[in-house]
Amino acid sequence: MNPNRPTDSLPAPGADALAQSEALCATIRARIAAAGGWLPFDRYMELALYAPGLGYYSGGAMKFGRRAEDGSDFITAPELSPLFAATLARPVAQALQQSGTRRLMEFGAGTGKLAAGLLTALAEMNVDIDSYEIVELSGELRDRQRATIDARAGALAGKVQWLDALPEAFEGVAIGNEVLDAMPVRLVVRKLGAWHERGVVALNDGFAFEDRAIEPDAHVELIDAAIEDELSADYVTETHEAALGFTKTVCTMITRGAAFFTDYGFPRREFYHAQRATGTLMCHYRHRAHADPFLYPGLQDITAHVEFSGIAEAGVEAGADLLGFTSQARFLMNSGITDVLGAFDPSDVKRFLPAANAVQKLLSEAEMGELFKVIAFSRGIDGTVDAFAVGDRSHTL
């Protein structure tokens, strides 16, 4: 698709945004040419999201917000309601106490609302921490995070520091909300029983897919084993080497403490299902979801669901313990979100009803409650935390 031609259903970007997208397209076309005319999709996705100064997350796009009119593309749980952070603070506090650590780290902190909420809630619980470290690649998001935390967390903002990269070792609790789904994925296709890798070629002033035959590797063999059934039609799916590598790095980095990841996805046998024949790749632009990763490169989010069995295996292979795995709804209910909501006066309709509606979205199977999962790893914690005490689904991984 021509990256500068708006579709009938999506709003067109402004001139400055289009110029940024064009600059990124030129970079991608140069990379395709240097690679011999074909670039693996995961490399295209990496450039589209993270090319320095031009990618979606490394550039200046709005990204997080409640509606298309504010220039944003999607909303996350911390943006939806402060009750998410207030509830998450409880298992975080328990993990800090059980591991005897006093530091927090967040990967990709969005607008900073989760950080501000956690800092405030932990202080109200009399849980003192030494530092809150944010790993953030986007300069624009760092500025937004700093402003949000200063405004919402007051003097606690002094505990926050920003990192350009992960440290070699860390003692404390790490948090990643919708981080794994933003990792580049490889696209693989089975046609008439033979596997291909889907890549990107330059086409006129846009880009197009092109498939190349491959020999099945360990990741593809896992897909074959999960599907089991013979497929009568083409089958497209993703492998998640970047997310697996990131998980291993984080679980190696943590020498004592825990890591909590919240994201949408499935265990392997649900993810690689014969009926899920078109994969999970999805794009988000102005709060509308569509399937064209070549529309406005650098101006839209490109994402894929998380295959949680592989994430669990990666963490354990790095030497961490699997602390638990469950749905977001069960995790938040176990962590006492109804008690947090109970602090609102039901007679104060203007405050209570929006809070209750947000909790409904966080918990409902039709909204975020079931599709989103929470997986956690630990070192130096005996047993688990209360958030996984009921309804743990680790056996499904």
Side-chain angles (χ1 to χ4, degrees), residues 103-157:
R103 296 165 65 190
L104 291 180
M105 179 180 292
E106 185 178 357
F107 312 115
T111 65
K113 288 183 179 178
L114 179 57
L118 284 173
L119 285 166
T120 303
L122 290 171
E124 291 173 350
M125 297 164 62
N126 297 315
V127 176
D128 191 23
I129 63 170
D130 293 334
S131 64
Y132 194 112
E133 299 159 40
I134 296 176
V135 182
E136 179 59 69
L137 300 178
S138 168
E140 180 268 338
L141 283 176
R142 284 191 183 197
D143 291 341
R144 290 187 69 189
Q145 291 157 11
R146 187 175 288 107
T148 298
I149 295 168
D150 285 345
R152 292 172 174 253
L156 296 170

Side-chain angles (χ1 to χ4, degrees), residues 162-185:
W162 280 263
L163 308 178
D164 295 319
L166 298 178
E168 291 187 7
F170 176 77
E171 290 190 350
V173 174
I175 302 150
N177 183 69
E178 292 196 48
V179 170
L180 298 176
D181 70 88
M183 302 282 175
V185 294

Side-chain angles (χ1 to χ4, degrees), residues 38-47 184-187 197-200 209 238 281 293-294 302:
W38 183 90
L39 199 66
F41 180 79
D42 58 347
R43 183 60 181 140
Y44 167 86
M45 184 173 172
E46 180 183 359
L47 290 168
V185 294
R186 188 170 60 131
L187 293 183
E197 180 168 2
R198 180 156 288 179
V200 179
F209 285 128
E238 305 91 25
L281 191 74
F294 305 136
I302 306 174

Side-chain angles (χ1 to χ4, degrees), residues 83-95 118 173-175 177 259-263 323-338 362-363 368-370 372-377 384-393:
L83 273 67
F84 180 83
T87 305
L88 178 60
R90 296 183 173 198
V92 166
Q94 189 177 9
L118 284 173
V173 174
I175 302 150
N177 183 69
F260 293 87
F261 294 104
T262 304
D263 230 311
L323 193 62
F325 171 69
T326 192
S327 68
Q328 175 177 286
R330 174 51 59 188
F331 180 86
L332 293 176
M333 287 190 290
N334 287 348
S335 300
I337 194 170
T338 54
L362 292 172
L363 300 182
M368 301 174 72
E370 178 58 32
F372 280 72
K373 312 295 194 305
V374 182
I375 191 168
F377 302 94
T384 186
V385 293
D386 293 342
F388 296 109
V390 177
D392 185 12
R393 301 184 187 180

Side-chain angles (χ1 to χ4, degrees), residues 56-355:
Y56 181 73
Y57 284 106
S58 56
M62 177 73 175
K63 306 171 189 65
F64 307 92
R66 288 184 171 271
R67 58 187 65 86
E69 290 75 17
D70 62 21
S72 64
D73 300 305
F74 55 88
I75 190 168
T76 61
E79 303 294 318
L80 181 65
S81 171
L83 273 67
F84 180 83
T87 305
L88 178 60
R90 296 183 173 198
V92 166
Q94 189 177 9
L96 288 169
Q97 186 274 324
Q98 290 185 200
S99 63
T101 58
R102 295 168 57 90
R103 296 165 65 190
L104 291 180
M105 179 180 292
E106 185 178 357
F107 312 115
T111 65
K113 288 183 179 178
L114 179 57
L118 284 173
L119 285 166
T120 303
L122 290 171
E124 291 173 350
M125 297 164 62
N126 297 315
V127 176
D128 191 23
I129 63 170
D130 293 334
S131 64
Y132 194 112
E133 299 159 40
I134 296 176
V135 182
E136 179 59 69
L137 300 178
S138 168
E140 180 268 338
L141 283 176
R142 284 191 183 197
D143 291 341
R144 290 187 69 189
Q145 291 157 11
R146 187 175 288 107
T148 298
I149 295 168
D150 285 345
R152 292 172 174 253
L156 296 170
K159 295 181 180 289
V160 180
Q161 54 186 282
W162 280 263
L163 308 178
D164 295 319
L166 298 178
E168 291 187 7
F170 176 77
E171 290 190 350
V173 174
I175 302 150
N177 183 69
E178 292 196 48
V179 170
L180 298 176
D181 70 88
M183 302 282 175
V185 294
R186 188 170 60 131
L187 293 183
V188 292
V189 187
R190 193 163 85 165
K191 300 178 181 179
L192 300 177
W195 282 100
H196 300 71
E197 180 168 2
R198 180 156 288 179
V200 179
V201 297
L203 181 66
N204 299 322
D205 54 354
F207 304 103
F209 285 128
E210 183 178 288
D211 300 336
R212 292 189 174 184
I214 58 170
E215 289 295 324
D217 57 16
H219 298 282
V220 171
E221 289 172 354
L222 285 173
I223 300 171
D224 270 328
I227 296 172
E228 293 180 349
D229 301 324
E230 286 296 323
L231 299 173
S232 58
D234 293 353
Y235 185 84
V236 181
T237 192
E238 305 91 25
T239 64
H240 304 77
E241 288 86 342
L244 299 179
F246 177 77
T247 303
K248 287 182 180 179
T249 299
V250 170
C251 289
T252 300
M253 174 193 74
I254 294 176
T255 55
R256 188 171 187 84
F260 293 87
F261 294 104
T262 304
D263 230 311
Y264 42 87
F266 313 96
R268 180 172 294 136
R269 288 196 173 275
E270 292 182 54
F271 192 100
Y272 296 125
H273 193 281
Q275 294 181 354
R276 202 183 305 283
T278 57
T280 69
L281 191 74
M282 187 59 61
C283 305
H284 299 276
Y285 178 74
R286 298 298 184 265
H287 290 265
R288 303 183 194 182
H290 66 93
D292 184 1
F294 305 136
L295 177 69
Y296 307 136
L299 305 183
Q300 66 168 352
D301 190 25
I302 306 174
T303 181
H305 286 48
V306 177
E307 192 273 277
F308 279 106
S309 298
I311 297 299
E313 291 164 359
V316 172
E317 288 172 7
D321 297 319
L322 179 62
L323 193 62
F325 171 69
T326 192
S327 68
Q328 175 177 286
R330 174 51 59 188
F331 180 86
L332 293 176
M333 287 190 290
N334 287 348
S335 300
I337 194 170
T338 54
D339 295 333
V340 176
L341 177 61
F344 287 77
D345 181 359
S347 65
D348 186 352
V349 176
K350 289 185 178 180
R351 294 185 69 243
F352 181 79
L353 283 183

